């Protein structure tokens, strides 16, 4: 994928709040771009590319599930190409949060993030 095709035709999909960061999600053709800005360096940040197929896979496998962690998503997707790493799983969860398919469970303390999925999409 080249830079020009990556940013061409992106549309803003929403934002997701993590424990320490806000993630901005943009949708392209067949993928999502997840952006976050550095808290220590002005005008700097990171981005990750998430395949739309991976998002659909996680959405369908976890619809209605509560208190889901990144490790659970990695374990279920271990034998698929949809979730190659824990970072990919986390970014998929942020995409789903930005799209409104799940929420971060703010009631839980500690470093782990827990996600509550809504029932299947209509």
């Amino acid at each position: 994928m080249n830079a020009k095709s990556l940013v061409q035709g992106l549309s803003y999909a929403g934002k997701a709040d993590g424990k320490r960061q806000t993630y901005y999600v943009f949708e392209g053709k067949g993928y999502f771009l997840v952006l976050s800005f550095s808290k220590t360096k002005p005008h700097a940040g990171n981005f990750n590319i998430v395949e739309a197929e991976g998002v659909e896979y996680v959405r369908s496998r976890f619809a209605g599930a509560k208190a889901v962690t990144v490790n659970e998503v990695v374990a279920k997707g271990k034998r698929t190409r949809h979730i190659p790493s824990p970072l990919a799983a986390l970014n998929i969860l942020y995409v789903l949060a930005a799209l409104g398919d799940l929420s971060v469970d703010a009631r839980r303390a500690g470093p782990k993030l827990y996600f509550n999925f809504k029932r299947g999409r209509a």
Side-chain angles (χ1 to χ4, degrees), residues 30-31 49-58 61 73-89 92:
Y31 66 92
I49 300 166
V50 176
E51 298 293 330
E53 287 180 10
V55 172
E56 288 304 319
Y57 173 80
V58 172
R61 295 287 295 187
V73 173
V74 170
K76 275 219 173 148
K78 196 173 193 174
R79 293 191 176 130
T80 72
R81 63 175 181 81
H82 299 300
I83 304 159
S85 69
L87 180 60
I92 288 170

Side-chain angles (χ1 to χ4, degrees), residues 5-86:
S5 67
L6 177 67
V7 297
Q8 197 168 21
L10 286 178
S11 62
Y12 180 72
K15 70 176 185 165
D17 293 316
K19 289 227 182 222
R20 292 173 278 163
Q21 196 98 14
T22 299
Y23 298 88
Y24 301 90
V25 177
F26 295 84
E27 188 170 3
K29 190 173 182 175
Y31 66 92
F32 293 89
L33 184 68
V34 181
L35 288 168
S36 63
F37 294 100
S38 173
K39 291 195 178 244
T40 57
K41 298 177 190 172
H43 309 293
N46 293 303
F47 72 90
N48 290 283
I49 300 166
V50 176
E51 298 293 330
E53 287 180 10
V55 172
E56 288 304 319
Y57 173 80
V58 172
R59 179 186 283 140
S60 67
R61 295 287 295 187
F62 289 93
K66 303 292 181 205
V68 175
T69 65
V70 168
N71 290 338
E72 291 175 78
V73 173
V74 170
K76 275 219 173 148
K78 196 173 193 174
R79 293 191 176 130
T80 72
R81 63 175 181 81
H82 299 300
I83 304 159
S85 69

